[in-house]
């Protein structure tokens, strides 16, 4: 790949390695700064040495990449809010007892059954200045119209992000931490005081503009369901879309169109280019077009609420517009690299965002692989050419993102190519019509006939998606896929494409090595699975779940053998396992030569058993002091089926008797491994 010969490519790769190293190894700031100063000194010396002797050029290059690596580490460290002294995470008392906290609402999030949710920025805690992002949960109907820019004062306790309480589930706490959010606040109407003075920053004006658009669309009697989809398609606002519609888009392989990404910004850029087509491609005309595109993309980012996904796409396509203006051959890869480097310099945690990863992978594979796929067939008719181009773009993006989608989502929509062929023409019209409608809605309520056309086109899109999604047997779910598979699959895909473009012996050797490594990852995973034996006590409220695993075979012990449980299903998928049998929970279990006693709501237990582990479920009415004296268990485990009040009493009793106590709703699932 010639792109690898470009110095910025190697610099960017080492910069990414630096971010990854910092994220997983967490070096101290002092050591990193010392390494950076040393690298700069060596860089300066080597720069003057190569002027005298060209033999030092390789040494100069290595040192350049090392500096890029260290800059990547420094960038992540400096953007980690928890390391800043002013961050609220260092105010320990705010997490222990109620404090007077003021914060500014920054972004509206998707509401749940009980609360309206916002991203907010902390201003003060007990009058002392602090900083940092939090999630604010405001009880529904406790405020009439909370808006972006409201400064709220409340006396409450900050609640840290909860740990992952069941194995192989989505780690929401880690997800928030990667967004620099370390706590949440829950408030109600008796606790809230709203400052009359709004904080009027760019987020405030963006929020007001968005609210104005929604009001004018509602005045035009835009159907609520279609309007929510329109706001997602055009402005990236998914907060009000129903779960049924989201599920249809997931099953049809079209979820990406509900999140404003490169696809949407690309449509907007094409539309702007179409409008500006009469401007001649002279030096001044080209510059005028570029400035118009950049201003339009910036305005779109503000209207859409400055969400991270929109900002990423706008920056990426702004650089593509600049690269197109410069008219440099082969600049598309370089432009992508420059946009990625700039984004990560300002927001390095974007590297760990799934949307960021999928956007760049999809665009890279479209640019790199789609020309190769187009050569498979050369259609003659215009309609065939259009369909074939849409198919090859879809397949290129899908091939590039498939391993990552399997790794994160564990499912594959088999009809993705049908979905993309059908919806792209509809989506093209919707994007153009949507831009016109949203621009009109900024100033006034759009004309009824425009709204009706736009509304019917979205209705048609939703119906089409629903029909495709109804073929559920084409959606392959619960695909087990780990990090070994992820790395080796990408190695295989990349080596296969490189070999296909220009076959030779070295490339074939690289391809065969990638196939061997792929097989090794499968064999190593299989060996890891077969050698593993463990028992899990899950954190579930309504139903007690305990599983025993030997290799890939799992026996599940539960109160309700017929109940379907997503918690347990995640464990099966994440561990390449299968359910061998499901049994009713008994009073005693044996695992790894350990005797396990279970006491349920009946409170009945055999007095002569001396268990190694005592599991309490379903809030039994027992005298735990007496049980500890009679049974002498090694550890007490209380699952989430027990009431919170009883668990507090049990914890105090265990502490008094010096017996370890593990509550799953506080400490997460309990795992016992075979040693």
């Amino acid at each position: 790949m010639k792109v690898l010969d470009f110095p910025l490519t190697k610099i960017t790769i080492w910069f990414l390695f630096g971010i990854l190293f910092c994220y997983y190894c967490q070096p101290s700031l002092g050591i990193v700064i010392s390494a950076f100063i040393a690298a700069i000194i060596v860089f300066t010396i080597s720069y003057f040495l190569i002027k005298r002797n060209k033999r030092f050029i390789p040494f100069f290059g290595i040192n350049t990449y090392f500096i890029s690596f260290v800059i990547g580490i420094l960038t992540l460290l400096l953007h980690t809010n928890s390391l800043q002294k002013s961050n609220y995470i260092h105010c320990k008392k705010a997490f222990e007892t109620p404090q007077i906290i003021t914060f500014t609402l920054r972004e509206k999030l998707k509401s749940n059954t009980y609360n309206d949710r916002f991203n907010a920025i902390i201003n003060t805690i007990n009058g002392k200045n602090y900083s940092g992002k939090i999630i604010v949960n405001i009880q529904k109907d406790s405020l009439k119209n909370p808006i972006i820019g409201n400064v709220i004062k409340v006396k409450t306790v900050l609640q840290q992000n909860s740990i992952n309480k069941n194995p192989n589930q989505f780690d929401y706490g880690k997800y928030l931490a990667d967004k620099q959010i370390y706590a949440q606040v829950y408030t109600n109407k008796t606790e809230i005081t709203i400052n009359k003075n709004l904080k009027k920053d760019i987020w405030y004006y963006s929020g007001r503009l968005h609210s104005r658009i929604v009001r004018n669309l509602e005045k035009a009697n835009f159907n609520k369901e279609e309007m929510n989809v329109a706001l997602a398609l055009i402005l990236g606002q998914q907060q009000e879309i129903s779960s049924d519609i989201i599920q249809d888009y997931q099953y049809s392989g079209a979820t990406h169109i509900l999140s404003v990404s490169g696809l949407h910004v690309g449509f907007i850029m094409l539309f702007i280019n179409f409008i500006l087509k009469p401007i001649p491609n002279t030096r001044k005309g080209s510059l005028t077009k570029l400035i118009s595109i950049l201003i339009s993309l910036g305005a779109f980012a503000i209207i859409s609420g400055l969400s991270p996904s929109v900002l990423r796409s706008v920056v990426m396509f702004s650089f593509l517009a600049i690269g197109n203006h410069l008219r440099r051959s082969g600049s598309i890869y370089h432009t992508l690299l420059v946009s990625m480097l700039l984004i990560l310099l300002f927001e390095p945690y974007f590297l760990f965002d799934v949307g960021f990863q999928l956007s760049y992978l999809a665009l890279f594979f479209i640019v790199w692989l789609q020309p190769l796929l187009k050569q498979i067939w050369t259609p003659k008719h215009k309609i065939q050419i259009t369909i074939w181009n849409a198919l090859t773009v879809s397949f290129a993006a899908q091939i590039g993102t498939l391993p990552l989608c399997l790794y994160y989502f564990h499912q594959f929509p088999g009809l993705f190519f049908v979905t993309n062929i059908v919806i792209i023409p509809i989506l093209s019209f919707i994007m153009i019509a949507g831009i016109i409608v949203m621009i009109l809605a900024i100033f006034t309520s759009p004309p009824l006939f425009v709204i009706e056309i736009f509304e019917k086109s979205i209705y048609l899109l939703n119906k089409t998606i629903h029909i495709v999604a109804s073929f559920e047997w084409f959606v392959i779910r619960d695909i087990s896929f780990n990090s070994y598979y992820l790395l080796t699959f990408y190695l295989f895909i990349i080596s296969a494409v490189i070999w296909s473009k220009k076959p030779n012996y070295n490339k074939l050797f690289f391809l065969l090595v990638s196939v061997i490594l792929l097989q090794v990852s499968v064999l190593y995973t299989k060996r890891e699975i077969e050698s593993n034996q463990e028992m899990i006590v899950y954190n579930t409220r309504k139903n007690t779940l305990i599983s025993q695993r030997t290799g890939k075979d799992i026996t599940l012990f539960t109160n309700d053998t017929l109940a379907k449980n997503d918690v347990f299903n995640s464990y099966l998928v994440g561990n390449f396992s299968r359910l061998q049998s499901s049994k009713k929970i008994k009073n005693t279990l044996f695992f790894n030569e350990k005797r396990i006693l279970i006491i349920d709501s009946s409170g009945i237990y055999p007095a002569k058993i001396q268990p190694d582990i005592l599991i309490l479920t379903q809030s039994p009415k027992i005298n735990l002091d007496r049980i500890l004296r009679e049974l002498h268990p090694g550890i007490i485990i209380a699952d989430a089926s027990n009431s919170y009040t009883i668990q507090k009493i049990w914890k105090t009793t265990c502490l008094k008797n010096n017996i370890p106590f593990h509550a799953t709703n506080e400490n997460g699932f309990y795992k016992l491994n075979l040693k």
Side-chain angles (χ1 to χ4, degrees):
M1 293 172 66
K2 291 182 179 179
V3 69
L4 292 176
D5 298 329
F6 188 52
L8 184 62
T9 303
K10 297 173 184 176
I11 289 171
T12 303
I13 289 171
W14 281 104
F15 177 78
L16 297 179
F17 282 149
I19 293 176
L20 291 170
F21 176 82
C22 182
Y23 184 80
Y24 291 106
C25 299
Q26 301 178 347
S28 68
L29 184 61
I31 293 173
V32 176
I33 291 175
S34 301
F36 180 68
I37 293 171
I40 291 293
I41 293 170
V42 175
F43 176 83
T44 307
I45 294 169
S46 60
Y47 174 76
F48 288 106
L49 286 174
I50 61 171
K51 287 190 172 183
R52 297 184 179 183
N53 194 329
K54 299 297 182 184
R55 288 184 303 174
F56 288 99
I57 289 177
F59 177 70
F60 177 78
I62 291 169
N63 193 62
T64 301
Y65 303 141
F66 179 71
I67 288 176
S68 178
F69 176 76
V70 176
I71 289 173
I73 298 173
L74 268 176
T75 302
L76 193 72
L77 283 175
L78 295 175
H79 284 84
T80 302
N81 293 344
S82 60
L83 298 178
Q84 298 173 7
K85 291 183 179 179
S86 63
N87 191 267
Y88 62 82
I89 200 160
H90 301 294
C91 183
K92 300 299 181 186
K93 59 184 179 181
F95 294 90
E96 296 166 356
T97 57
Q99 308 292 321
I100 297 174
I101 301 171
T102 63
F103 49 81
T104 305
L105 300 184
R106 171 67 63 82
E107 179 189 3
K108 181 79 169 67
L109 302 176
K110 189 175 180 66
S111 301
N112 57 30
T113 308
Y114 306 104
N115 300 303
D116 290 318
R117 302 172 70 246
F118 296 84
N119 269 338
I121 303 294
I122 279 194
N123 302 321
T124 63
I125 299 176
N126 279 348
K128 187 176 179 181
N129 290 335
Y130 279 93
S131 63
K133 294 187 285 187
I134 59 169
I135 288 181
V136 177
N137 299 271
I138 300 177
Q139 189 181 57
K140 282 189 174 179
D141 301 325
S142 62
L143 286 175
K144 289 185 179 179
N145 289 303
I147 62 170
I148 305 304
N150 274 145
V151 180
I152 293 175
K153 182 168 73 172
V154 59
K155 187 172 184 179
T156 187
V157 177
L158 292 178
Q159 297 189 18
Q160 283 187 317
N161 298 334
S162 60
I163 61 171
N164 206 15
K165 292 182 178 177
N166 282 300
N168 304 106
Q169 281 196 313
F170 172 64
D171 195 338
Y172 186 59
K174 182 176 176 294
Y175 167 80
L176 290 179
D178 286 344
K179 292 181 176 293
Q180 308 292 287
I181 299 171
Y182 308 110
Q184 298 195 42
V185 163
Y186 291 84
T187 68
N188 57 53
K189 60 185 177 182
T190 61
E191 299 173 330
I192 293 172
T193 304
I194 300 178
N195 196 317
K196 292 181 180 179
N197 298 319
L198 293 163
K199 187 171 183 180
K200 297 183 178 181
D201 53 15
I202 190 169
W203 282 272
Y204 165 77
Y205 290 108
S206 175
R208 292 289 296 219
L209 196 59
H210 177 258
S211 299
R212 184 182 177 86
I213 290 171
V214 172
R215 277 200 310 273
N216 284 331
L217 291 177
E218 287 174 343
K219 283 180 184 177
N221 296 319
F222 203 134
N223 182 277
K224 190 71 174 175
E225 193 171 87
E226 275 76 42
M227 187 180 76
N228 291 335
V229 174
L231 293 173
L233 291 172
I234 312 300
L235 303 181
Q237 305 292 327
Q238 299 184 41
Q239 292 91 333
E240 305 301 328
I241 299 182
S242 70
S243 56
D244 290 339
I245 290 178
I246 290 176
Q247 182 175 287
D248 282 346
Y249 278 77
Q250 287 173 342
Y251 287 177
S252 64
T255 314
H256 57 284
I257 73 172
L258 289 179
S259 302
V260 171
S261 59
L263 177 67
H264 303 71
V265 180
F267 271 124
I268 292 168
M269 191 168 159
L270 288 172
F271 181 60
I272 296 167
N273 277 325
F274 175 76
I275 294 172
L276 300 175
K277 202 170 184 180
I279 299 175
N281 286 323
T282 60
R283 189 175 179 181
K284 286 185 178 179
S286 181
L287 183 62
T288 302
K289 286 183 179 181
L290 176 64
I291 293 171
S292 301
I293 288 169
L294 295 180
I295 291 172
S296 301
L297 292 180
F300 171 71
I302 293 171
I303 293 170
S304 61
L306 297 167
S307 67
S309 62
V310 175
L311 289 174
R312 286 197 304 265
S313 299
V314 165
V315 170
M316 184 168 67
F317 275 89
S318 296
F319 272 91
L320 288 175
I322 293 168
N324 186 50
H325 170 72
L326 296 175
R327 294 172 184 167
R328 292 182 178 174
S329 60
S331 66
I332 183 68
Y333 296 111
H334 308 156
T335 305
L336 284 174
L337 286 169
V338 170
S339 67
M340 179 190 291
L341 190 60
L342 184 68
I343 289 170
L344 293 178
L345 275 170
F346 286 95
E347 287 289 350
Y349 276 96
F350 276 175
L351 183 60
F352 308 101
D353 184 275
V354 181
F356 179 87
Q357 296 167 11
L358 291 174
S359 292
Y360 271 95
L361 276 172
L363 194 54
F364 174 78
F365 272 88
I366 288 170
V367 172
W368 186 43
L369 182 56
Q370 196 255 352
L372 184 65
L373 295 176
K374 277 179 70 177
Q375 295 173 11
I376 296 172
W377 179 48
T378 307
K380 295 180 181 179
H381 302 292
K382 194 171 182 180
I383 295 176
Q384 290 177 330
I385 292 170
T386 303
I387 294 174
W388 182 239
N389 284 340
L391 262 177
T392 52
V393 167
S394 178
F395 270 103
Q398 196 69 43
I399 290 169
T401 58
L402 177 61
L404 203 64
C405 288
L406 293 178
Y407 179 71
Y408 284 121
F409 308 119
H410 301 287
Q411 70 176 31
F412 175 70
L415 292 177
F416 73 90
F417 58 94
V418 175
T419 303
N420 285 310
I421 288 175
V422 172
I423 69 170
I424 282 177
I426 305 173
L427 188 62
S428 304
F429 175 78
I430 287 173
M431 290 301 297
I432 295 168
I435 293 166
I436 295 169
V437 168
M438 296 302 167
I439 291 172
L440 289 172
I442 292 173
F443 305 101
T444 185
S445 181
L448 184 61
F449 77 94
V450 176
I451 289 292
E452 284 184 351
I453 293 170
F454 188 38
E455 185 182 299
K456 294 300 181 187
S457 63
I458 293 175
Y459 175 80
L460 177 62
L461 176 67
N462 287 344
K463 274 293 180 186
T464 305
I465 293 291
H466 179 71
I467 291 169
V468 176
S470 65
F471 296 97
E472 290 191 29
W473 55 86
F474 282 100
V475 182
I476 306 169
R477 300 186 188 88
D478 301 334
I479 302 171
S480 297
F481 205 84
N482 60 16
S483 56
Y484 307 136
Y485 287 8
L486 177 69
L487 295 174
T488 53
F489 259 95
Y490 270 118
L491 189 64
F492 169 71
I493 291 170
I494 291 168
S495 61
V497 175
I498 292 172
W499 177 78
S500 301
K501 281 181 174 284
K502 198 173 181 181
N504 62 34
Y505 174 78
N506 290 335
K507 292 176 182 177
L508 179 61
F509 177 76
F510 181 45
L511 175 60
L512 293 175
V513 169
S514 70
V515 172
I516 292 170
L517 288 174
L518 185 57
Q519 292 173 329
V520 168
S521 71
V522 172
L523 293 172
Y524 183 76
T525 299
K526 186 178 179 181
R527 181 170 172 262
E528 241 186 9
I529 294 164
E530 290 178 349
S531 63
N532 203 329
Q533 295 186 45
E534 62 187 18
M535 185 193 80
I536 303 284
V537 179
Y538 298 86
N539 181 66
T540 53
R541 291 185 179 278
K542 296 181 180 179
N543 188 16
T544 296
L545 290 179
I546 301 171
S547 69
Q548 287 187 2
R549 173 183 162 201
T550 303
K552 63 163 51 177
D553 295 323
I554 295 181
T555 301
L556 179 66
F557 298 94
T558 175
N559 290 336
D560 186 357
T561 55
L562 299 177
K564 183 181 177 182
N565 197 286
D566 292 333
V567 169
F568 178 64
N569 192 58
S570 298
Y571 179 71
L572 284 175
V573 175
N575 290 280
F576 296 78
S577 302
R578 64 190 176 200
L579 178 61
Q580 188 179 44
S581 62
S582 183
K583 301 178 180 178
K584 281 278 188 180
I585 292 179
K586 301 176 183 178
N587 287 114
T588 55
L589 297 173
F590 294 89
F591 182 80
N592 191 21
E593 299 181 354
K594 290 187 181 294
R595 182 178 289 154
I596 302 162
L597 175 64
I598 301 167
I599 302 178
D600 58 19
S601 57
S602 66
I604 299 170
Y605 62 93
K608 294 182 180 180
I609 288 182
Q610 300 260 319
D612 299 291
I613 299 170
L614 175 60
I615 301 176
L616 304 175
T617 70
Q618 309 296 324
S619 301
K621 295 178 181 179
I622 55 173
N623 185 325
L624 189 58
D625 267 315
R626 187 175 65 193
I627 288 175
L628 294 180
R629 287 195 302 269
E630 291 178 356
L631 304 182
H632 305 290
I635 183 173
I636 304 291
I637 301 168
D639 71 3
S641 65
N642 299 290
S643 73
Y644 180 70
T645 306
I646 290 176
Q647 288 186 62
K648 284 180 69 176
I649 297 169
W650 289 342
K651 186 176 181 179
T652 305
T653 303
C654 288
L655 190 65
K656 184 178 67 176
N657 288 275
N658 201 24
I659 300 289
F661 180 78
H662 183 104
T664 61
N665 63 358
E666 184 179 338
N667 303 308
F669 65 96
Y670 178 82
K671 181 163 74 171
L672 180 64
N673 289 99
L674 179 63
K675 296 182 180 179

